Amino acid sequence: MCYVTVAKVEDIPPGKSQLIQVEGLPLLLVNDRGQFYALQGLCGHQKLPLAKATVWQGLLDCPWHHFQYDIRTGENVYPRCVYPLATLPHLDQQLEPLRTYPVRIVEQHVQVKIQFFELL
Ligand code: FES
C-alpha cells in the first residue's frame, strides 16, 4: 500500500470533481470546501464514469441518473434513503457504496493511498 501523487491541489477547485486514471484504476477526486476525497470512479448503478459529477454539501451526484453518494463514506444516499429495498429488490446490487481511498496533501499535491493489487 502506498500513496501516489495524482494531482495538484490547484487543479481541483472547491466544489469540483475530477476523474483520473491511476495505472488503469478509475478514481474520482473531489474537493468539497477545501477537503479532498477519493472514491472509485465508476458509479454503482450502471458502472458508468463519474466524470462531471457534481458536489454539494458532502454529496456527490452522478451525472447519468442522479444516484447520490456521501463523499466521506461512499454510501448511497439516493435512491437508498427514498425507496425501500423491499419494493425495488432489483436495486439492491446497484446500491453498493463507492469504495473510498485515504487522501493526503503533501506540498500542494493530492496523494491517494492505493493498495498495490488494485493496480494489477
Ligand atoms: S450510472 Fe450513475 S446513476 Fe446511473
Side-chain angles (χ1 to χ4, degrees):
M1 214 179 311
C2 60
Y3 276 94
V4 178
T5 298
V6 293
K8 294 179 183 173
V9 167
E10 66 196 40
D11 293 340
I12 309 166
K16 299 293 182 185
S17 65
Q18 182 175 334
L19 186 68
I20 62 166
Q21 299 272 336
V22 179
E23 301 286 333
L25 177 69
L27 292 177
L28 188 75
L29 301 178
V30 176
N31 179 345
D32 185 33
R33 295 168 281 183
Q35 190 73 39
F36 282 83
Y37 301 87
L39 303 104
Q40 77 180 50
L42 302 179
C43 180
H45 180 215
Q46 294 184 355
K47 306 297 183 210
L48 294 172
L50 286 163
K52 298 185 181 170
T54 55
V55 184
W56 187 73
Q57 296 196 350
L59 287 181
L60 180 73
D61 186 273
C62 177
W64 296 96
H65 314 102
H66 300 290
F67 274 30
Q68 295 181 341
Y69 299 92
D70 184 319
I71 59 172
R72 296 163 300 153
T73 64
E75 288 290 331
N76 182 285
V77 175
Y78 176 84
R80 179 179 292 281
C81 295
V82 177
Y83 299 107
L85 287 180
T87 62
L88 297 169
H90 64 284
L91 273 181
D92 197 24
Q93 294 177 345
Q94 300 171 357
L95 299 178
E96 294 282 318
L98 298 180
R99 183 171 180 147
T100 60
Y101 298 85
V103 175
R104 70 182 184 189
I105 305 299
V106 176
E107 297 177 356
Q108 295 304 304
H109 287 85
V110 182
Q111 296 186 333
V112 178
K113 193 174 192 179
I114 299 172
Q115 295 190 13
F116 181 69
F117 69 86
E118 296 179 89
L119 300 178
L120 299 178

